[in-house]
Amino acid sequence: FFMSKQTIGILMLNTSFPRLPGDIGNAASFRYPTLYRTIDAAVPANIVTATQLPAGLADAFTHEALELQQCGATLVTTSCGFLSVIQQTLATRLPVPVITSSLTLLPWLSSLYGSSYNIGVLTFDADKLGNRHLPANSQDVAIEGLLPADTLRHCISTDSDQLDRGCAEAEVLACADRLLARRKVPALVLECTNMAPYKHALREHTGCAVYDLVDAVHWLMDAT
């Protein structure tokens, strides 16, 4: 079948919860053709971790990424920001550009806004997100996560097929409010790709610039 010259390859965790427009797992979020591959062993509990990924997962992601590239993908990305830990592994193994996570934007954003400002990061789980997930040359960042009782976090953790968009949006806005109550930041980065459907509401609610992986993928695709 016909394949556009520019195609996004997306490595997905093994989940089935709803992927709203704006989420990287929804093809309607992109203005380019998309190819998806699911890594069977990659469930949120294995990926959203403060420790090393289970043995063999990096190779599994590499295998599927190469398959995507061979099927026509001109850029490869993933569905979870915690996969920043395999950014360099995939980038060195693939012949096409790779951006695993919005967290890879942090050094660039720090240089844009200056070292006197922190960049805020909104994450699925602030207890699990640590220095090993951040680029080595990132400036200090302010991190805030969803609460354990939040419906969005529960939906993802349990792989539920039920998601109340209004409730989830309110929880994401509350997450930003908690961060801004501790630290005034000019910009927010959404580690969690499932927060991206609410980025426009976040921009209006906080007055901050909001960066996510979908936007970053579009910048890279537009550049070529």
Side-chain angles (χ1 to χ4, degrees):
F1 61 93
F2 172 76
M3 181 65 66
S4 168
K5 183 177 179 181
Q6 295 293 95
T7 303
I8 305 165
I10 303 172
L11 298 166
M12 298 291 296
L13 302 195
N14 188 4
T15 62
S16 57
F17 59 81
R19 298 280 186 166
L20 304 181
D23 189 304
I24 206 159
N26 187 319
S29 304
F30 298 98
R31 55 180 182 268
Y32 290 91
T34 53
L35 292 170
Y36 286 91
R37 286 295 180 96
T38 297
I39 288 75
D40 291 338
V43 295
N46 285 342
I47 304 300
V48 181
T49 174
T51 59
Q52 297 291 327
L53 294 183
L57 261 185
D59 289 338
F61 274 97
T62 299
H63 178 267
E64 296 300 334
L66 287 169
E67 289 285 323
L68 285 171
Q69 182 265 323
Q70 291 167 9
C71 289
T74 54
L75 177 142
V76 171
T77 187
T78 85
S79 68
C80 180
F82 276 76
L83 288 169
S84 59
V85 294
I86 60 171
Q87 170 67 35
Q88 291 306 312
T89 298
L90 291 184
T92 56
R93 293 179 179 179
L94 265 68
V96 295
V98 175
I99 178 167
T100 57
S101 170
S102 60
L103 298 176
T104 62
L105 301 174
L106 287 171
W108 174 66
L109 292 174
S110 294
S111 69
L112 288 183
Y113 289 98
S115 59
S116 61
Y117 291 100
N118 296 123
I119 304 299
V121 173
L122 303 185
T123 181
F124 174 78
D125 188 339
D127 291 334
K128 301 287 178 59
L129 189 70
N131 288 334
R132 66 184 300 268
H133 302 101
L134 306 178
N137 53 343
S138 297
Q139 299 290 336
D140 185 33
V141 297
I143 297 172
E144 185 64 46
L146 294 170
L147 300 176
D150 281 346
T151 58
L152 178 56
R153 182 163 162 176
H154 181 265
C155 174
I156 297 168
S157 298
T158 62
D159 206 20
S160 171
D161 61 359
Q162 301 296 317
L163 175 61
D164 184 326
R165 181 187 176 112
C167 187
E169 180 175 300
E171 291 164 354
V172 173
L173 297 183
C175 182
D177 286 341
R178 291 193 298 274
L179 186 150
L180 293 170
R182 294 189 290 109
R183 193 87 58 88
K184 298 302 179 185
V185 299
L188 298 168
V189 172
L190 305 183
E191 171 278 314
C192 181
T193 61
N194 313 119
M195 291 181 174
Y198 319 108
K199 65 187 174 189
H200 300 298
L202 274 169
R203 287 165 181 155
E204 292 182 2
H205 180 74
T206 65
C208 294
V210 178
Y211 298 87
D212 79 312
L213 188 54
V214 169
D215 286 340
V217 166
H218 277 130
W219 300 337
L220 293 168
M221 296 294 283
D222 290 348
T224 54

